[in-house]
Amino acid sequence: MSAPALTRGGRAWVPDYLLSIDPDLCIGCGRCFKVCGRNVMTLKGVNEDGDVVELDEDDDEIEKRVMAMNDEDACIGCGACARVCPTNCQTHAKAA
């Protein structure tokens, strides 16, 4: 069993990892992307069928832009993205 993570001041710290982003709630503002330096999220599009798709040159089929998971294994659980999200569209959890 590993020792608990500690802050610089020696207090216990439990990471709260980003698990998912709800495309129905996300407004694609990019605030979470801007505060995350780990490339965990990326901007994608939602097409007229409601599918989350890559953005490309032919954006005529894109109904809206949303943030989506890019590299979930890069998340360190700092919670910065959750603190800046105006729509509370993210799901976070402690490690199992």
Side-chain angles (χ1 to χ4, degrees):
M1 184 171 190
S2 63
L6 301 176
T7 66
R8 182 171 62 179
R11 289 177 282 187
W13 177 70
V14 178
D16 203 17
Y17 299 106
L18 176 62
L19 300 180
S20 65
I21 301 170
D22 185 338
D24 294 329
L25 295 177
C26 180
I27 60 173
C29 67
R31 291 176 185 164
C32 56
F33 180 80
K34 291 175 185 173
V35 299
C36 179
R38 306 204 43 91
N39 204 27
V40 174
M41 297 151 281
T42 190
L43 190 63
K44 299 242 179 155
V46 176
N47 66 18
E48 52 198 28
D49 295 327
D51 300 324
V52 177
V53 297
E54 297 291 332
L55 293 174
D56 58 21
E57 298 298 320
D58 186 22
D59 285 345
D60 294 340
E61 298 177 10
I62 301 299
E63 297 291 316
K64 72 175 192 171
R65 288 173 168 73
V66 297
M67 296 309 298
M69 299 300 287
N70 182 56
D71 184 2
E72 61 192 48
D73 290 339
C75 181
I76 61 171
C78 68
C81 56
R83 288 190 297 277
V84 298
C85 181
T87 64
N88 196 26
C89 65
Q90 302 170 354
T91 300
H92 293 258
K94 314 276 187 257

